[in-house]
Amino acid sequence: MLISLLAELNGLFPGDTAAHRLLTGGSIALLSALIFTPLVIVGARRLQWIDWPADDRWHSTPVALMGGIALFGALATGIAGAGLLDVYTWPVWTAGGLVFASGLADDLLDIRPEAKLVVQIIATALLLYAGLAFWKGAPFWIHVPLTFLWIVGVTNAVNLIDGMDGLAAGLAAIAAGVLAIIAWLTGIPGVAAVSVVVLGAAVGFLVFNFKPARVFMGDCGSLLLGFAVATLALTVQGAGEPVAATLVPVAVLAVPIFDTSFVTITRILNDRPITEGGNDHTMHRLVMLGLSERQTVLLLWSIAAVFAGGAFTMYWVTTPLSIALMLFAGIGFALLGLYLAGATHYPRIDIPLRVERKTASQKLGAVMQAIAGGPYWKSIVGTIADLLLVGAALVLAFHLRYDGAPPAPYDDLMLLILPAVMTTKVIVFYLLGLYHGIWRHAGTSEFVRLVMGSTLASIVVVLGIIVAGGAGYLSPALVVLDWMVTTAAIAGIRFGFRGLRQYLAAQRSNGKHVLIYGSGSASVLALRHIREDDALNRTAVGFVDPDPHRVGMHVQGISVVGTPNDLKGLSSTHDADELVVPTFATDEETQNDLLRACVQVDLACRFFAFDLHPAAPVQLHVPTGDGMTARERREAASSTSAHDSPDEQPTSSTNASS
């Protein structure tokens, strides 16, 4: 059947053109993966090649292993069938075969990590022998170590991120797809065709690997895919402008690179072994913080696609803009890493600690305090981040104003004023107190101060340019664009933590499902308390409001699902366990009515209350509160003194608090 399909496919794209090889190779790989993968699943189950659930694994049901065999078969069939063996020399194909063999040996025999590392070093040496290198234009003593770091690092990064159904295969497909487009547009169609073969094999395998997965690729598949995209990225890197070409591979594979770096750092800080499996990767933490597995995979695919799209544009934009875009992306990833590292509630991470020590977040804080100036390290890091963002914003504003390529005079002006603009704006931010706030709890007043700071900084910069005699180069559109990008960037890094925390809390679905009475400010306060206090182990699934006109409206991402008269149907429709009633927004009669309604439908009822009451006295003469403000109390005391006789003296029995 496969031979007949290939024959028909060959007839669709006659000739020996580059497009023919590309389309034929990709289609053959796709069809081969769709045919080979089910066969591997059947064989794996018969031979008991099964990945059983374990503490350091994410899946909860037995899943067939060795899917990498199907991937290898699809890649080999696609490359041979489309006549692509001449794209690379024999050392490259041999290196790929060695990496696959080492992964297969690990899946079958559980070989030691250093054995796989030795094979990857040999494979990298073969690539260097074939003429491939990372940043080939650099001196020998730079590009050789970078090539080893790149191939070994990316190969293992894809292997490590293969911890959730469909994630690694999807990321490899995205990377291969973008590399194919870049290779085609930069004049290396053979590499584009090989990239499409990798894309077709990954997509065909993904049909059986996406949640719920019927097969895992194993080390033989993940190491092979990692090595393939790393090698393709090296080849594509040789085309285009040097700086952009150097950044492209990093951008294309940003997600697996970030995950590997993040896990390595957090495990070192937590004194955990780096080479052991675990549920502390980026995707696992996102699930534990509230996202579903599908949402997590789709989110990481989307991030990878955005970065891959950015890599695609780097060949056709200026070097300053490439660096500016990478700065924005890098700071965004750093913020995500800090947020994930600061989250401490990971009940499924069961890797034993060798020594009981501080959390990764606490250790990171201690390291940063030692490096960056004691307890004010967050302000110092924020200042550095703002400095980079202000510079990147100015570069982006110039390119937006002048259609992606500023004319020579304005390009020179941009580079000339860049240091002064960066310094001036950061000084203004400091003077207005932007580095003195606790931005985790920032609100409207902090946002207003931020906008005012950005506006004032832009005004100061414009006045400085005018005073320096550059008024003729000023463009109102450029000033506005710079202000908008700067404001958005500095607001993003300050409100990003809060926004991410609230979004993830809204996605959480663990614990008891509760309905909240009302949809006003008191009900929103109850919702926030439930979301922010993990110890409550509850998830709000809807509001119940007495006003029928509010049904269907949304508050903080939660719908008003009905009225109290609908409690019976709502409790079953939304699988609700409790009704939460804010006591400070309801009278006693309403509370009793709601309690009776809950009893009738067998729904638990809890009252939510915040109290402000006097503290219990711990010593004599402690004021318990008389309903007067401090100012009223002082005025009353002075009035009493004025009515006293001048020669009257207080006695020892006078009690000041009576």
Side-chain angles (χ1 to χ4, degrees):
M1 182 178 70
L2 178 60
I3 295 175
S4 63
L5 285 173
L6 297 182
E8 292 180 14
L9 190 61
N10 190 57
L12 291 176
F13 310 111
D16 192 27
T17 64
H20 168 264
R21 298 172 72 190
L22 183 147
L23 293 172
T24 302
S27 301
I28 291 174
L30 175 62
L31 290 173
S32 300
L34 291 173
I35 294 171
F36 293 160
T37 306
L39 297 177
V40 170
I41 293 174
V42 173
R45 292 194 176 278
R46 288 183 177 178
L47 296 172
Q48 286 298 298
W49 292 341
I50 303 296
D51 193 4
W52 301 97
D55 290 339
D56 64 343
R57 293 288 184 262
W58 193 250
H59 60 285
S60 56
T61 58
V63 179
L65 275 171
M66 302 301 174
I69 296 176
L71 278 170
F72 180 81
L75 290 173
T77 305
I79 290 168
L84 298 173
L85 287 172
D86 61 341
V87 174
Y88 291 106
T89 55
W90 69 265
V92 177
W93 304 121
T94 303
L98 288 174
V99 170
F100 169 74
S102 69
L104 186 62
D106 187 43
D107 289 332
L108 293 173
L109 306 174
D110 194 23
I111 63 175
R112 295 176 63 86
E114 56 268 28
K116 291 186 291 183
L117 179 60
V118 169
V119 172
Q120 292 163 22
I121 291 173
I122 295 172
T124 307
L126 287 170
L127 294 184
L128 287 167
Y129 178 77
L132 297 177
F134 191 97
W135 195 10
K136 199 171 181 180
F140 175 85
W141 56 273
I142 292 180
H143 78 242
V144 169
L146 285 179
T147 304
F148 278 101
L149 179 63
W150 174 257
I151 295 296
V152 173
V154 171
T155 300
N156 287 284
V158 175
N159 173 246
L160 289 173
I161 208 169
D162 183 32
M164 196 164 284
D165 296 354
L167 181 56
L171 293 175
I174 292 170
V178 172
L179 290 171
I181 297 173
I182 295 174
W184 183 268
L185 294 177
T186 53
I188 39 179
V191 176
V194 175
S195 300
V196 172
V197 168
V198 175
L199 169 63
V203 171
F205 179 79
L206 193 57
V207 173
F208 305 93
N209 184 237
F210 192 60
K211 187 176 179 63
R214 284 168 279 175
V215 62
F216 290 157
M217 64 178 69
D219 278 9
C220 62
S222 58
L223 291 175
L224 177 63
L225 281 181
F227 180 81
V229 293
T231 303
L232 290 169
L234 276 190
T235 313
V236 170
Q237 189 190 47
E241 198 275 332
V243 175
T246 303
L247 295 175
V248 161
V250 179
V252 169
L253 295 162
V255 171
I257 291 172
F258 167 79
D259 179 70
T260 300
S261 304
F262 172 75
V263 171
T264 300
I265 293 171
T266 53
R267 287 188 181 179
I268 290 173
L269 291 174
N270 270 323
D271 196 31
R272 298 179 181 222
I274 297 174
T275 57
E276 290 187 11
N279 295 320
D280 56 345
H281 287 261
T282 305
M283 59 279 192
H284 300 134
R285 296 183 186 233
L286 287 171
V287 169
M288 292 170 187
L289 288 170
L291 294 182
S292 68
E293 290 187 40
R294 284 178 178 265
Q295 287 175 322
T296 298
V297 171
L298 293 174
L299 173 63
L300 293 177
W301 282 0
S302 301
I303 294 174
V306 170
F307 273 84
F312 172 73
T313 63
M314 284 183 184
Y315 281 97
W316 295 275
V317 301
T318 65
T319 298
L321 183 57
S322 298
I323 296 173
L325 293 175
M326 290 298 290
L327 280 175
F328 282 125
I331 292 173
F333 260 139
L335 283 177
L336 176 62
L338 287 172
Y339 177 78
L340 293 177
T344 57
H345 182 58
Y346 302 121
R348 293 190 62 180
I349 299 178
D350 298 321
I351 303 174
L353 292 176
R354 292 194 291 271
V355 182
E356 193 68 30
R357 296 187 179 179
K358 296 180 180 178
T359 65
S361 181
Q362 292 170 329
K363 285 190 174 183
L364 178 61
V367 171
M368 294 305 297
Q369 285 188 33
I371 295 174
Y376 304 107
W377 70 269
K378 291 184 179 180
S379 297
I380 294 174
V381 171
T383 304
I384 296 172
D386 278 354
L387 189 69
L388 298 175
L389 288 175
V390 167
L394 181 67
V395 171
L396 181 57
F398 265 92
H399 285 78
L400 290 174
R401 171 63 182 83
Y402 297 105
D403 299 324
Y410 292 98
D411 190 53
D412 295 338
L413 174 66
M414 176 186 70
L415 298 177
L416 179 65
I417 67 174
L418 186 60
V421 170
M422 294 168 63
T423 305
T424 301
K425 287 196 174 186
V426 168
I427 291 174
V428 173
F429 294 162
Y430 175 79
L431 294 176
L432 291 183
L434 263 63
Y435 303 116
H436 300 154
I438 302 177
W439 291 96
R440 180 183 294 269
H441 306 292
T444 304
S445 59
E446 286 81 8
F447 179 74
V448 171
R449 187 168 77 246
L450 184 149
V451 173
M452 291 176 60
S454 181
T455 304
L456 181 59
S458 294
I459 292 173
V460 172
V461 166
V462 169
L463 292 176
I465 293 175
I466 293 174
V467 171
Y473 290 98
L474 279 177
S475 164
L478 175 63
V479 174
V480 172
L481 284 170
D482 177 56
W483 173 82
M484 291 174 61
V485 177
T486 301
T487 304
I490 62 176
I493 65 170
R494 284 161 172 78
F495 290 89
F497 273 108
R498 179 177 177 180
L500 185 60
R501 184 176 69 250
Q502 290 180 348
Y503 173 75
L504 292 174
Q507 304 303 312
R508 194 168 54 229
S509 59
N510 60 302
K512 292 185 176 181
H513 290 183
V514 302
L515 298 167
I516 300 176
Y517 178 76
S519 57
S521 57
S523 305
V524 172
L525 185 60
L527 173 64
R528 289 178 177 173
H529 182 62
I530 289 170
R531 283 178 171 175
E532 294 183 7
D533 191 349
D534 291 337
L536 294 176
N537 196 31
R538 283 167 169 78
T539 298
V541 295
F543 291 102
V544 178
D545 197 281
D547 184 358
H549 296 97
R550 291 198 170 192
V551 175
M553 295 184 176
H554 299 275
V555 182
Q556 297 282 313
I558 302 294
S559 299
V560 180
V561 294
T563 67
N565 296 328
D566 306 321
L567 275 180
K568 184 174 182 179
L570 295 175
S571 62
S572 59
T573 303
H574 297 275
D575 196 23
D577 301 297
E578 293 177 352
L579 175 69
V580 174
V581 182
T583 58
F584 46 93
T586 54
D587 54 36
E588 186 174 352
E589 182 180 355
T590 301
Q591 295 169 19
N592 291 332
D593 290 341
L594 290 171
L595 181 57
R596 282 191 290 269
C598 288
V599 171
Q600 291 175 0
V601 300
D602 195 25
L603 184 67
C605 183
R606 287 183 178 271
F607 291 153
F608 174 74
F610 272 121
D611 246 347
L612 185 65
H613 55 81
V618 294
Q619 59 184 18
L620 295 177
H621 309 312
V622 173
T624 59
D626 51 12
M628 300 175 66
T629 65
R631 180 177 179 180
E632 291 171 342
R633 201 173 292 112
R634 287 194 301 270
E635 291 176 351
S638 60
S639 175
T640 302
S641 300
H643 288 87
D644 287 342
S645 172
D647 57 348
E648 184 178 353
Q649 299 294 327
T651 65
S652 60
S653 62
T654 301
N655 189 335
S657 63
S658 62

